Amino acid sequence: MDAREILSLESSCIQEEPAYCSAACPVHVDVRSMLEQVQKGNFTEAARIYGRKVLFPGIISRICSEPCKNACLRRRIDSPVAIRLLERACTEYSGTDPGALSGSPFQRKQHIAVVGGGLGGAACALELAHKGYEVTLFEKSEKLGGALWDYDPGVLEPGLIAREMGYLAGERVHIRLNCKIEDLSSLNDNLNNGLNGSLDHDANHDTHYDAVYVATGEAGSTLGLPLKNGKIQYDHVSLESAREGIFAGGSLIFHQFQDSSAEPADFPAEPADFPVEPADSPIEVVAQGIRAARSMERYFQKASLTAGRENEGIQNTRLFTEIRNEPVKTPVVPGGEGLYTRAEAVEEAGRCMLCACMECVKACEFLAYFNQYPKRYLRDISKTVTALQGVRSKMIATRIINSCSVCGQCAEICPNHLDMGKVCLESRRSLVESDTMPPAYYEFWIRDMRFSNDEKNSLYKNQQGYRESKFLFFPGCQVGASYPDYVETVYQYLLENLHGGVGIGLGCCGAPACWAGQKNLHQEHQELFLSNWRRMGEPEVILACPTCRKMFEEYLPSVPVKSLWTLMEELPLPAELKPGGGEKIALYDPCASRYEPEAQGSVRRLLRKAGYDVEELFFHGRLAQCCSYGGLISTVNPALAQKITEHRISASPYTYVTYCINCRDDFAAKGKPAWYLPDLLFGNNSLDQAVRRPPSYSERRENRREVKNRLLKLFWGEDMEIERSDYEGISLLLSDELKDKLEKESILLEEIQQVIHHAETTGYKMLNHGNGNFIAHLQIGFITYWVEYQHRKNRYELMNAYSHRMQIIGEEERQRQ
């Protein structure tokens, strides 16, 4: 997946889609941001947000027809938020005049005439003046405002109308009151020739008009604009009339636009392209004035007047907001004269859900951790995968890419099924291919995988007495590492209940290489499995680990697989099972089981057969969450991994049961009682077993060695001598605190032994004369390990150890280079 493909997914993320209220607003007030500020009691900032879109905020906040309120999602729960009343509160309590915006510092050369000083004409004039154009506004009466003066003074005070119409006087607007324009020819002698660059000069003023907006009101004159069937001809998108450079709007066209007999003539846009508010809607009148102003700008730039204007005016939105769990909140009724007090406004604004499509972020600690949402992540990730080869210091989102568990939950939550896990995995592969992936991120896990699949520790063997196997039990590397007894117990159970030959396979499915983005290495380990599988007669593979099953089904589709749990549901329950007696347990579905409903169902039925009362967690089944092991994020972002695990274990007070050994160990390591499913099926259902501390990384290595040895001896009567390296003879002494530190930093005791062995055999070490400790280092793979220790008789006491990705070059190495 290259940068272009990643960016193409941006449209799948709908978080930046407008809120329902803003989409329904003809001028697109950012209601969500405005009410968020009101919730904080910040009326000044709220009014500033409102005034950015509404040219006459005091007027509109009193007489707006509130299309936003009709679109409010809250109406599905109780009743819509009183948005207009809150807008008025913002203008009342801001302490500033939100409509007094500063204009453009640039003076543009074009001069525009606006005929009609009502709300629509004033809006067009003010919008153009803000952008640096010189405007002459003609009004036939003695004052601006038009139909605004017809409102009840108790609703719209005359002083407010005068004050906000006064905004035009402070801009580049020449106001001509008591100046009735009977015909466009009175503005220009060349109207019959169209507008070719500019209109001729006004007879009364030595002025040339480069465009005209006609907004004379519903009962106003058409000023000689071309008509068809008695109706003005105009484009419903740009508002340009049949005469080039002359635009019409406001109530002059509203009444005929809504008349079903009015047909647009010779224009491409249909009325449905721009749904409108009723003709008496002040906010739609303002929106049309603003749209006319934008059309004039395009006209001057010789650009298309209609292209790319789909989102002007009332628009659709793809935004999704989950409201199922939103509580009912009683609307706040304003006291006295219909105006909210400050406290009432804050309370009513608190009913706003601040609609956003953040469902994936709410469910995923990874997406929430970096305080962004998928669309923004995609932008940063696309920049990262195109960074110059080897320039790691300039990587924007390397840590983001490698902090994802690649579990796929986001795709299930997203209305458009955007899978950030897939994006991050493909991006890791791109980083590996371009040699810009920090090697230390996955070095520990890759070496662990190689250890599991090394011929010294792996095992593929047919059942005693069989040359081929009908079944192959593949428990997964982590089961053998953490619960070696269950590899033996389950294998014995399968031998007793299946016929035709049950082989055993000890090894790793290759998930670490896959998650690390090392595609070639992953394929190499897949081929290693396939060669053994074919040698054993291509048996059906019985999988205990859900991650293994996910890997097999996605990357080895030719291999027939079956979940151990689905198989056990078909077989007799183990004789060792101790009935649960109705005990309540919480079932944790591993994220890798997301698309395995058969296995998930089998687990539930097995637990009920075993006598347990199963509680479902909020996220389960297809919405299962990662425990923090997936994607191997613990070495990349340990703080995030810790946060994820802590969140998971707080989801229920009951003891957990899970069928992923990594989930169980992650939870138990943080103190959450958790059983691995075989605990309950094979008679180990004590609380002590649930709180059993998981083995350390070093102990897991040793367990893998031992389980092979035990299986060979028990089932085939073979003794295997475990090969030991010289450094393994180093005996270590260290405190429990230091053991915990090594575990958190993914440092194995075996690596400590290698450092000390190298130091003692080569003498390459330093002595700290202050405390008598030796300090030594050794690079193993991409990691350099440092150890501080003392030699005590036949043992080495470890004082401290740490690691980092750095190569230390000594004199011998320097000379060789």
Side-chain angles (χ1 to χ4, degrees):
M1 184 178 289
D2 59 24
R4 183 175 300 176
E5 291 173 311
I6 293 171
L7 281 176
S8 70
L9 296 174
E10 275 195 50
S11 62
S12 298
C13 179
I14 57 178
Q15 168 55 20
E16 292 181 3
E17 291 280 309
Y20 312 97
C21 47
S22 296
C25 175
V27 297
H28 301 162
V29 172
D30 187 356
V31 179
R32 178 170 53 200
S33 296
M34 180 184 70
L35 295 193
E36 184 178 18
Q37 293 301 320
V38 177
Q39 289 175 355
K40 299 174 183 177
N42 190 347
F43 290 93
T44 300
E45 178 60 18
R48 188 187 69 80
I49 294 170
Y50 182 55
R52 276 205 306 252
K53 295 290 186 178
V54 178
L55 297 177
F56 305 103
I59 293 172
I60 296 299
S61 67
R62 286 163 172 78
I63 64 173
C64 184
S65 57
E66 300 183 272
C68 54
K69 186 174 181 180
N70 294 331
C72 179
L73 197 59
R74 180 121 220 136
R75 69 187 307 151
R76 300 183 187 177
I77 304 167
D78 35 57
S79 62
V81 176
I83 300 173
R84 184 183 61 76
L85 290 178
L86 290 171
E87 291 169 344
R88 183 181 175 187
C90 291
T91 64
E92 294 283 349
Y93 303 132
S94 68
T96 61
D97 188 346
L101 300 176
S102 59
S104 170
F106 302 104
Q107 175 68 55
R108 304 187 188 277
K109 63 181 181 179
Q110 292 88 356
H111 194 160
I112 298 134
V114 175
V115 182
L119 192 56
C124 181
L126 191 57
E127 179 74 7
L128 289 166
H130 281 337
K131 295 182 177 181
Y133 294 97
E134 189 171 357
V135 183
T136 298
L137 175 59
F138 296 92
E139 168 54 40
K140 67 180 180 179
S141 71
E142 73 281 359
K143 56 188 175 183
L144 299 178
L148 294 176
W149 296 98
D150 297 335
Y151 278 87
D152 184 333
V155 175
L156 198 58
E157 304 95 321
L160 174 64
I161 300 173
R163 185 176 75 246
E164 296 210 340
M165 287 294 115
Y167 294 154
L168 289 97
E171 296 287 349
R172 297 183 178 95
V173 181
H174 307 288
I175 300 173
R176 299 286 311 281
L177 300 176
N178 299 306
C179 185
K180 185 175 182 179
I181 305 297
E182 298 288 352
D183 191 275
L184 288 176
S185 61
S186 65
L187 285 178
N188 186 286
D189 295 330
N190 294 330
L191 282 174
N192 293 329
N193 297 323
L195 294 176
N196 298 315
S198 71
L199 292 169
D200 209 344
H201 78 278
D202 186 315
N204 299 315
H205 295 83
D206 188 18
T207 303
H208 294 267
Y209 298 112
D210 300 284
V212 178
Y213 182 52
V214 180
T216 55
E218 184 173 349
S221 170
T222 60
L223 306 186
L225 287 174
L227 305 178
K228 184 176 181 180
N229 299 324
K231 308 295 182 183
I232 296 173
Q233 293 179 273
Y234 69 99
D235 182 274
H236 291 278
V237 174
S238 68
L239 303 181
E240 186 180 37
S241 72
R243 208 131 183 212
E244 182 184 343
I246 302 179
F247 301 81
S251 297
L252 176 66
I253 63 172
F254 268 137
H255 69 287
Q256 68 175 46
F257 183 75
Q258 295 182 341
D259 185 345
S260 60
S261 65
E263 297 291 336
D266 304 321
F267 290 99
E270 295 295 329
D273 291 340
F274 276 86
V276 297
E277 279 288 288
D280 60 352
S281 169
I283 192 64
E284 181 62 30
V285 172
V286 170
Q288 281 219 342
I290 294 172
R291 194 193 316 168
R294 292 171 180 169
S295 294
M296 291 181 191
E297 281 197 287
R298 288 177 174 233
Y299 175 72
F300 299 144
Q301 296 164 0
K302 301 187 183 304
S304 169
L305 299 186
T306 57
R309 304 189 72 171
E310 297 81 5
N311 290 329
E312 290 186 30
I314 297 172
Q315 64 184 109
N316 293 322
T317 180
R318 298 181 300 152
L319 189 68
F320 171 81
T321 301
E322 180 59 73
I323 63 173
R324 286 179 297 179
N325 300 313
E326 182 66 23
V328 171
K329 294 182 179 179
T330 304
V332 179
V333 178
E337 300 185 357
L339 175 64
Y340 281 131
T341 64
R342 289 175 179 268
E344 288 171 340
V346 171
E347 184 180 356
E348 175 64 11
R351 296 178 61 240
C352 176
M353 297 180 289
L354 304 177
C355 291
C357 185
M358 297 288 280
E359 300 310 305
C360 61
V361 178
K362 293 175 186 175
C364 176
E365 282 79 7
F366 155 65
L367 293 174
Y369 187 80
F370 295 98
N371 298 313
Q372 296 190 57
Y373 48 86
K375 181 166 285 191
R376 291 187 176 179
Y377 287 123
L378 290 170
R379 292 167 185 164
D380 287 346
I381 290 171
S382 67
K383 295 174 185 177
T384 299
V385 298
T386 56
L388 294 176
Q389 183 173 351
V391 186
R392 297 192 181 93
S393 62
K394 296 186 181 295
M395 303 293 273
I396 299 169
T398 304
R399 192 158 177 255
I400 292 175
I401 290 169
N402 292 284
S403 292
C404 174
S405 296
V406 297
C407 73
Q409 184 203 35
C410 53
E412 289 301 310
I413 292 175
C414 175
N416 293 327
H417 305 292
L418 175 58
D419 191 343
M420 286 300 297
K422 182 178 179 181
V423 171
C424 288
L425 183 58
E426 291 291 339
S427 299
R428 293 178 193 183
R429 290 169 178 165
S430 295
L431 295 180
V432 170
E433 290 174 5
S434 63
D435 192 31
T436 50
M437 173 68 82
Y441 276 177
Y442 301 105
E443 172 71 5
F444 173 83
W445 302 107
I446 293 300
R447 283 196 277 127
D448 193 61
M449 179 191 70
R450 292 184 185 278
F451 178 89
S452 295
N453 285 335
D454 186 274
E455 63 179 9
K456 297 178 183 178
N457 307 306
S458 63
L459 176 67
Y460 288 89
K461 203 168 181 66
N462 291 313
Q463 182 179 344
Q464 181 82 326
Y466 287 82
R467 299 184 62 180
E468 290 187 346
S469 295
K470 183 178 180 181
F471 306 98
L472 172 63
F473 177 46
F474 191 86
C477 60
Q478 296 301 325
V479 175
S482 185
Y483 272 85
D485 290 349
Y486 283 139
V487 176
E488 175 186 323
T489 301
V490 174
Y491 185 51
Q492 180 64 51
Y493 169 81
L494 294 176
L495 289 175
E496 294 171 357
N497 289 279
L498 296 177
H499 306 285
V502 183
I504 186 74
L506 300 181
C508 179
C509 66
C514 176
W515 288 336
Q518 298 190 28
K519 193 173 181 178
N520 292 337
L521 181 61
H522 184 210
Q523 291 174 345
E524 175 188 321
H525 283 259
Q526 288 176 301
E527 288 298 327
L528 180 62
F529 171 83
L530 286 174
S531 63
N532 286 293
W533 174 71
R534 293 186 183 112
R535 178 178 54 80
M536 298 177 71
E538 302 186 356
E540 181 179 31
V541 180
I542 301 169
L543 298 169
C545 174
T547 296
C548 289
R549 178 159 186 178
K550 182 179 179 181
M551 290 292 154
F552 273 73
E553 292 194 336
E554 185 169 356
Y555 299 104
L556 295 174
S558 63
V559 177
V561 298
K562 189 163 190 175
S563 167
L564 171 64
W565 321 117
T566 300
L567 179 62
M568 289 188 70
E569 188 185 9
E570 301 168 0
L571 301 175
L573 289 174
E576 303 94 326
L577 184 145
K578 297 176 183 177
E583 180 177 353
K584 187 92 167 182
I585 51 95
L587 178 60
Y588 190 92
D589 284 321
C591 62
S593 74
R594 185 180 319 286
Y595 303 116
E596 300 297 336
E598 182 183 26
Q600 291 177 341
S602 294
V603 168
R604 285 157 173 77
R605 288 186 289 272
L606 282 171
L607 286 170
R608 292 188 181 104
K609 283 182 183 179
Y612 291 92
D613 182 7
V614 178
E615 180 201 54
E616 297 286 6
L617 298 178
F618 184 81
F619 291 108
H620 67 276
R622 289 179 74 91
L623 297 181
Q625 295 179 302
C626 181
C627 64
S628 81
Y629 182 84
L632 307 176
I633 67 173
S634 61
T635 52
V636 178
N637 196 332
L640 173 59
Q642 171 85 6
K643 185 176 181 180
I644 291 173
T645 306
E646 289 176 351
H647 185 269
R648 301 296 178 265
I649 63 180
S650 65
S652 171
Y654 298 108
T655 301
Y656 280 6
V657 176
T658 184
Y659 40 110
C660 171
I661 191 59
N662 299 310
C663 293
R664 187 272 158 193
D665 284 353
D666 272 4
F667 301 152
K670 300 297 186 298
K672 176 69 176 181
W675 283 303
Y676 181 43
L677 182 56
D679 290 333
L680 306 189
L681 298 180
F682 290 93
N684 293 323
N685 57 348
S686 67
L687 181 59
D688 288 344
Q689 185 72 0
V691 299
R692 181 184 75 96
R693 183 181 176 88
S696 67
Y697 289 133
S698 296
E699 290 168 338
R700 293 177 197 220
R701 286 276 185 103
E702 190 60 30
N703 285 341
R704 290 193 191 116
R705 287 177 172 140
E706 289 293 339
V707 72
K708 177 179 179 180
N709 187 34
R710 287 168 52 182
L711 290 175
L712 285 173
K713 186 170 185 178
L714 180 62
F715 295 103
W716 288 273
E718 299 178 10
D719 286 319
M720 182 189 80
E721 183 176 345
I722 298 177
E723 296 183 23
R724 302 287 183 181
S725 300
D726 291 344
Y727 62 78
E728 292 182 84
I730 297 286
S731 179
L732 298 176
L733 178 64
L734 65 161
S735 65
D736 290 339
E737 291 77 14
L738 187 51
K739 286 180 182 178
D740 290 340
K741 177 179 183 293
L742 298 180
E743 190 72 5
K744 289 178 181 177
E745 298 179 10
S746 302
I747 299 176
L748 299 174
L749 295 180
E750 177 182 341
E751 291 155 348
I752 302 295
Q753 290 172 319
Q754 290 183 61
V755 176
I756 295 176
H757 181 266
H758 178 264
E760 293 298 311
T761 56
T762 64
Y764 195 64
K765 58 184 178 180
M766 298 177 288
L767 176 62
N768 183 334
H769 292 282
N771 56 23
N773 296 340
F774 287 106
I775 301 173
H777 74 269
L778 180 66
Q779 183 175 339
I780 304 173
F782 292 102
I783 310 296
T784 296
Y785 296 87
W786 290 84
V787 176
E788 184 177 359
Y789 67 97
Q790 285 192 2
H791 191 181
R792 300 189 184 282
K793 297 184 179 180
N794 296 325
R795 307 181 74 179
Y796 292 87
E797 183 176 3
L798 188 62
M799 306 301 181
N800 198 7
Y802 61 94
S803 65
H804 55 69
R805 192 178 67 83
M806 179 183 293
Q807 185 177 7
I808 309 298
I809 300 179
E811 187 60 34
E812 293 182 6
E813 289 88 346
R814 185 176 289 108
Q815 290 177 359
R816 284 199 297 269
Q817 293 183 357

